[in-house]
Amino acid sequence: MKQLLSIRQWGPARLTAAGFLVLILVGTVLLMLPFAEAGTARASFLSALFTATSAVSLTGLIVVDTGSFWSPAGQVVILALIQLGGLGIMSLASLSGLLFTGRISFKARKTGAYEGRPIAPGGIRKTLIFTFAFTAVAETIIAIIVAARLMIGYGHSFPRAVWEGIFHAISAFNNAGFSTNSDNLVPFVADAWILLPLAAALISGGLGFPVWAELVRLVRRNRFVVHRISITARMTLTATAVLLLAGAVFFACMEWTGLLSSMSLGEKLLNSFFASASPRTAGFNAIDYGQAHPITLMGTDISMFIGGGSAGTAGGIKVTTACVLLAAMAAEFTGRETTTIGHRSLPRSVTRQALALSFAGVMVVTLGVAALRFFDPEFSGDQVSFEVLSAFATVGLSTGITASLSAPSQIVLCLIMYLGRVGPTTLVAALAAKSVSRRYSFPEERPFLG
């Protein structure tokens, strides 16, 4: 009884971190059961744990082939883990409370914020309903398009086309990157009817639910003008557009005579765009990154680290964090006292949070690269860095070394994927026993910098 009371007293950060951990463990147990495997071979604890962690964290890294190793029932488990990981454990709990009791506690509102679903006071019902409705509508539309294309263009049977359409739609919208194909989306490298709908799904999921809710609200009220859009939405939309365009141009320039050399002009443009959209936490690949130029991998590393929008299914440090850092640098270089974006001044606490989150991300990636280089020195620095950044940003792209990594390295990646989904700030808050506020301050002294 005392333990139950202590659990109830946990803060939102601890509940969020524990919720995802419990979901990973449940998924691991289910994937180890006989019904989950397609053949006679049974999944080891590590392979089941890795797959469950990758699914819940919306990453997409795999150590066994999703389409051939796991049975249809096992694939359903993976898909359920992806959907639950994308919607969020505490958001689902809040919705259940709303349905059964008609109300949601203030603590649930705070928990939603830690889970990446910030809710304005008094608007929790609309936020939850919009989140689940938007997810269902988006996934349904993409599933129909993909299933129809598989039946018409590839001769798939209706049940198979429907299943693969649903699987890829949920995986894309939640930015998971899992595919039932052994070589991911490589068979559709020249098919715009497959790549573009999936790209639309992963971009829309990566923008974040608050941004979509705000845009829908402004359109419904006929007030869609720039100055009425929040600074968060403006940063997210602008940075997303810039990164998509810059990433496509960068990939085309680097791989025009490389990975794209055998393609037509239209296919080159299509795959350059998809290769720009996917690394921002989606994880689908229509080309073999194992054959990519090292500079291409480096540019993809940067894109993965930045990630997508806040409060969505994207990973990374988020585009808003990157925008705040750039604005803070610009303010410092120009000698301005305040950091401004879009004619809005940012609180100092926002800048500190952006710096802390970015530095925490750099530290996690650095330690992860060091660990993998120690346990598996046979792989190059480019390969290891790409793998670790993919895990931290919950992307799922790989140069093909995931299954060949040693057990310690795979465990390290599991920890990084979990941290990437929960978030460094949430995990730190969860580990903290309680907040401490000093009733005194130290004297100031300005150190030399630079």
Side-chain angles (χ1 to χ4, degrees):
M1 189 66 175
K2 185 180 295 185
Q3 291 179 346
L4 181 60
L5 290 175
S6 63
I7 292 176
R8 289 179 178 177
Q9 294 173 355
W10 281 9
R14 287 189 176 184
L15 287 174
T16 301
F20 281 110
L21 182 60
V22 169
L23 182 58
I24 289 172
L25 296 178
V26 170
T28 301
V29 173
L30 291 176
L31 290 176
M32 292 181 66
L33 297 177
F35 74 84
E37 287 83 26
T40 57
R42 292 289 172 261
S44 65
F45 173 76
L46 181 55
S47 60
L49 174 65
F50 194 97
T51 303
T53 305
S54 183
V56 172
S57 64
L58 311 177
T59 303
L61 290 174
I62 57 174
V63 291
V64 293
D65 180 58
T66 305
S68 61
F69 185 87
W70 304 109
S71 67
Q75 293 176 23
V76 169
V77 171
I78 294 174
L79 201 62
L81 295 176
I82 293 172
Q83 190 71 87
L84 291 172
L87 292 173
I89 301 301
M90 305 316 298
S91 294
L92 289 169
S94 298
L95 182 65
S96 300
L98 174 63
L99 294 176
F100 287 105
T101 67
R103 63 185 181 84
I104 302 177
S105 66
F106 177 72
K107 187 174 183 179
R109 300 177 186 181
K110 292 177 63 180
T111 305
Y114 272 100
E115 197 175 56
R117 201 87 64 229
I119 300 169
I124 188 168
R125 286 177 173 80
K126 291 183 178 179
T127 301
L128 285 174
I129 291 173
F130 178 83
T131 297
F132 286 86
F134 184 80
T135 299
V137 170
E139 291 176 352
T140 300
I141 293 174
I142 300 302
I144 292 173
I145 296 174
V146 174
R149 179 57 179 170
L150 291 176
M151 285 190 295
I152 297 173
Y154 297 88
H156 286 17
S157 64
F158 179 76
R160 180 185 174 189
V162 169
W163 168 243
E164 292 197 10
I166 293 173
F167 191 98
H168 285 89
I170 293 177
S171 182
F173 183 78
N174 288 284
N175 283 226
F178 276 86
S179 175
T180 54
N181 301 312
S182 300
D183 45 0
N184 209 270
L185 299 184
V186 173
F188 311 114
V189 65
D191 196 337
W193 285 100
I194 297 291
L195 296 186
L196 289 182
L198 293 181
L202 62 92
I203 292 172
S204 59
L207 284 178
F209 296 107
V211 172
W212 279 110
E214 181 179 344
L215 295 179
V216 170
R217 183 175 63 254
L218 291 175
V219 170
R220 290 179 61 182
R221 296 179 179 177
N222 294 321
R223 296 178 179 178
F224 192 79
V225 289
V226 175
H227 71 273
R228 291 186 179 273
I229 302 177
S230 69
I231 192 64
T232 298
R234 273 186 274 177
M235 285 193 294
T236 302
L237 294 173
T238 302
T240 297
V242 170
L243 289 174
L244 284 174
L245 178 60
V249 172
F250 172 80
F251 188 88
C253 291
M254 293 307 306
E255 299 294 344
W256 196 266
T257 57
L259 292 174
L260 305 176
S261 59
S262 61
M263 301 180 186
S264 64
L265 176 61
E267 293 172 357
K268 288 181 177 180
L269 297 178
L270 171 64
N271 282 274
S272 295
F273 171 74
F274 192 80
S276 174
S278 185
R280 299 183 57 246
T281 81
F284 285 118
N285 68 285
I287 51 95
D288 182 8
Y289 278 90
Q291 304 300 319
H293 193 280
I295 303 300
T296 302
L297 296 181
M298 184 183 71
T300 306
D301 288 342
I302 297 173
S303 181
M304 291 191 294
F305 186 75
I306 294 174
S310 301
T313 56
I317 63 171
K318 305 297 191 295
V319 291
T320 48
T321 303
C323 288
V324 170
L325 291 178
L326 289 176
M329 291 173 59
E332 188 64 30
F333 291 155
T334 56
R336 287 184 278 113
E337 289 291 333
T338 59
T339 300
T340 60
I341 296 180
H343 303 291
R344 296 290 188 275
S345 297
L346 303 182
R348 291 183 181 273
S349 60
V350 172
T351 304
R352 292 199 305 268
Q353 290 170 2
L355 287 170
L357 179 59
S358 302
F359 185 75
V362 171
M363 289 299 298
V364 170
V365 171
T366 302
L367 293 175
V369 170
L372 263 66
R373 292 285 283 171
F374 177 78
F375 292 124
D376 293 282
E378 66 271 21
F379 297 113
S380 69
D382 290 334
Q383 291 175 311
V384 170
S385 299
F386 194 86
E387 199 81 7
V388 172
L389 276 162
S390 180
F392 171 75
T394 66
V395 176
L397 293 177
S398 175
T399 56
I401 69 172
T402 312
S404 301
L405 292 171
S406 62
S409 290
Q410 291 181 3
I411 293 174
V412 170
L413 288 181
C414 285
L415 293 173
I416 294 175
M417 288 189 291
Y418 171 72
L419 180 57
R421 180 64 184 97
V422 172
T425 54
T426 298
L427 190 62
V428 170
L431 295 177
K434 59 180 179 179
S435 60
V436 178
S437 57
R438 290 195 180 105
R439 297 182 180 273
Y440 58 90
S441 60
F442 295 106
E444 289 187 359
E445 180 177 350
R446 184 180 181 87
F448 291 104
L449 298 177

